[in-house]
Amino acid sequence: MTERHVVSWIAAVLIFAGPLQATADEIDDQLQTIATCGPGGQGSAAAKQAALELVDSGIEILPRLLEAMDTDNILAANWYRTIYEQVTRRELKKTSPQFPLQSLRDFVQDAQHQGRSRRLVLGLLDRLDPKFRDRFIATQIADAEFRNDAITTLLKQGDEFQEAGKTDSAARVYETAFRAARESGLIQTTAAKLKAIGREVSIIDHMGLVIDWHVLGPFDAPGKSGFDTVFPPEETVDLQASYAGQNGRKISWKRFRTTDKMGSVNLVTAIAPVEEAVGYAYTEILSPCEQDVQLRCGADDNLSVWVNGEKVFARRQWLNGTRLDRFTAPVHLKSGQNTVLVKICQGPQHKNPAVGNNWSMQLRFCDKDGASVGTHSALPEISEKNVE
């Protein structure tokens, strides 16, 4: 049963069931009863009874109900949301609804609460206090849940300044939006608006994308064997060394700096168009301090990543496709120099000959919100014969 069906079923139960009274002293116990329900019907009868009584209690349960909605229990969350909808709908039908407006505002403004519940309450406030949304959203560029809404509002403000010929004011607003942006679409949109008025910003630096690499390959890896096969770079990275590659071809490390605005490395260009092969990318980065960060990466077909010699990520997945931030892993960076080795496997030709064999990777280091952690390239030099 889908979540939508569960919610509909709960709503039907509450609408057609007879009223049951719950005293104020029982509210917390009833909320806790719902909190213990689980898969396979566990606690469902007791949860139904508690929900019926809570619905009949009235608007006074709202503050405690909202607190209970901060749960990872999907079944309990469905019960709570349906109770919320029934209670608020009934109150709105009254001639003089009595909602705890300040409690609702406080709930929406508290980033510790779940985003889904905060948006639900904001929708209610749109009816009760129509001016609240604009005042609230305009201040939320640091709030993970409402950041994109705030940035969209800033962009509209910047556009108005630009249309009025106030270029400096537009630039200040766009720059504020750019610094706050974490979602790739908004980052690119904001950067484009700044570029249009002569202000250049670096998407690469803002997102912590790694674009400078030494690449090596292809090694032969028939039958999707590359993921499990240990090739020389996994034992020692020697940027001056040469190896026997696919079809007996001599291969060596060569420098490659991607020009893709989102940091994607096209390995067909950087190494070669191949099938059933393995390539490596190596770099070194400087971290401004010792810090715990997120590695976010993706590749076509699959990849493994070592940071400072420790394997921090590996995913065996073929016909994968490179997508921004597809995978995330926690990584500890040392203050100063850190080494990064990436292994990227390429599978056989797609069963449809018309589909090209893409081979690519994308990698960045950021904080939990997706912002740069201040790393930058410290790519070591190799002999000129290997540089391309």
Side-chain angles (χ1 to χ4, degrees):
M1 183 180 293
T2 66
E3 180 178 337
R4 179 172 61 83
H5 291 148
V6 170
V7 171
S8 299
W9 176 77
I10 294 171
V13 169
L14 297 182
I15 289 171
F16 293 108
L20 293 169
Q21 187 65 40
T23 66
D25 291 340
E26 295 174 320
I27 291 173
D28 287 336
D29 288 341
Q30 291 161 344
L31 290 171
Q32 182 56 38
T33 296
I34 294 173
T36 61
C37 69
Q42 174 189 333
S44 60
K48 171 185 173 182
Q49 181 68 23
L52 290 168
E53 295 178 7
L54 286 168
V55 164
D56 206 47
S57 294
I59 202 65
E60 70 274 5
I61 73 168
L62 205 53
R64 278 176 285 182
L65 176 61
L66 291 174
E67 293 291 334
M69 290 170 74
D70 284 327
T71 178
D72 294 326
N73 183 333
I74 295 176
L75 293 175
N78 286 336
W79 280 112
Y80 294 144
R81 177 166 180 164
T82 303
I83 296 166
Y84 168 90
E85 291 173 346
Q86 294 291 315
V87 168
T88 56
R89 186 180 300 123
R90 184 176 61 217
E91 190 68 19
L92 285 167
K93 290 180 179 178
K94 294 181 179 180
T95 303
S96 300
Q98 299 297 313
F99 283 94
L101 286 178
Q102 192 55 50
S103 292
L104 296 177
R105 296 188 194 103
D106 291 344
F107 184 86
V108 171
Q109 293 175 108
D110 188 348
Q112 298 301 312
H113 294 302
Q114 287 189 357
R116 181 180 178 186
S117 299
R118 294 170 71 201
R119 286 191 177 275
L120 188 66
V121 175
L122 183 59
L124 176 61
L125 284 169
D126 285 341
R127 300 186 62 174
L128 303 173
D129 185 3
K131 295 182 179 180
F132 174 77
R133 177 183 286 268
D134 288 343
R135 296 196 309 271
F136 167 67
I137 291 297
T139 64
Q140 298 308 299
I141 60 173
D143 186 318
E145 179 61 33
F146 293 102
R147 177 185 289 119
N148 290 352
D149 304 77
I151 291 170
T152 299
T153 297
L154 282 174
L155 293 180
K156 291 178 181 177
Q157 182 184 13
D159 291 346
E160 291 170 359
F161 280 133
Q162 179 64 4
E163 290 170 4
K166 300 178 180 179
T167 302
D168 289 342
S169 296
R172 285 193 292 271
V173 173
Y174 290 151
E175 286 167 354
T176 299
F178 181 77
R179 288 193 297 270
R182 300 293 181 267
E183 190 272 324
S184 61
L186 282 175
I187 290 171
Q188 293 180 76
T189 296
T190 309
K193 288 180 180 292
L194 283 164
K195 184 175 182 179
I197 58 175
R199 308 293 176 95
E200 293 284 349
V201 290
S202 172
I203 293 175
I204 298 298
D205 291 342
H206 180 71
M207 298 184 69
L209 291 156
V210 182
I211 62 171
D212 283 309
W213 300 93
H214 293 308
V215 295
L216 174 68
F219 288 98
D220 194 34
K224 297 183 179 179
S225 61
F227 187 86
D228 295 317
T229 303
V230 176
F231 294 97
E234 296 175 46
E235 299 175 331
T236 302
V237 174
D238 181 355
L239 296 178
Q240 307 302 326
S242 297
Y243 307 94
Q246 195 171 46
N247 300 321
R249 174 191 169 198
K250 180 182 176 181
I251 59 174
S252 56
W253 293 96
K254 53 186 178 180
R255 184 170 182 171
F256 185 83
R257 177 185 175 95
T258 180
T259 57
D260 182 80
K261 63 182 179 181
M262 296 302 292
S264 182
V265 177
N266 184 345
L267 295 166
V268 173
T269 300
I271 297 177
V274 295
E275 301 172 15
E276 300 186 272
V278 165
Y280 289 87
Y282 175 82
T283 194
E284 296 178 12
I285 60 170
L286 293 179
S287 173
C289 60
E290 184 174 355
Q291 55 181 329
D292 292 316
V293 303
Q294 284 189 355
L295 162 71
R296 298 189 182 183
C297 56
D300 187 344
D301 285 315
N302 58 55
L303 80 168
S304 303
V305 183
W306 292 260
V307 175
N308 295 323
E310 177 186 356
K311 184 181 282 189
V312 296
F313 179 83
R315 179 62 62 93
R316 184 202 305 269
Q317 193 165 343
W318 301 94
L319 298 177
N320 201 17
T322 300
R323 298 197 291 276
L324 179 69
D325 295 350
R326 180 165 190 186
F327 303 118
T328 301
V331 170
H332 182 78
L333 295 180
K334 302 181 296 184
S335 178
Q337 188 179 47
N338 295 263
T339 64
V340 183
L341 176 68
V342 186
K343 176 182 183 178
I344 316 97
C345 299
Q346 172 68 301
Q349 172 61 43
H350 193 279
K351 60 183 179 181
N352 180 355
V355 176
N357 252 22
N358 296 321
W359 195 21
S360 59
M361 58 165 275
Q362 187 178 50
L363 183 146
R364 69 182 180 124
F365 294 99
C366 59
D367 65 16
K368 61 182 178 61
D369 289 328
S372 169
V373 290
T375 57
H376 63 274
S377 175
L379 195 71
E381 293 297 327
I382 57 177
S383 60
E384 287 298 319
K385 66 182 179 65
N386 290 343
V387 176
E388 291 193 0

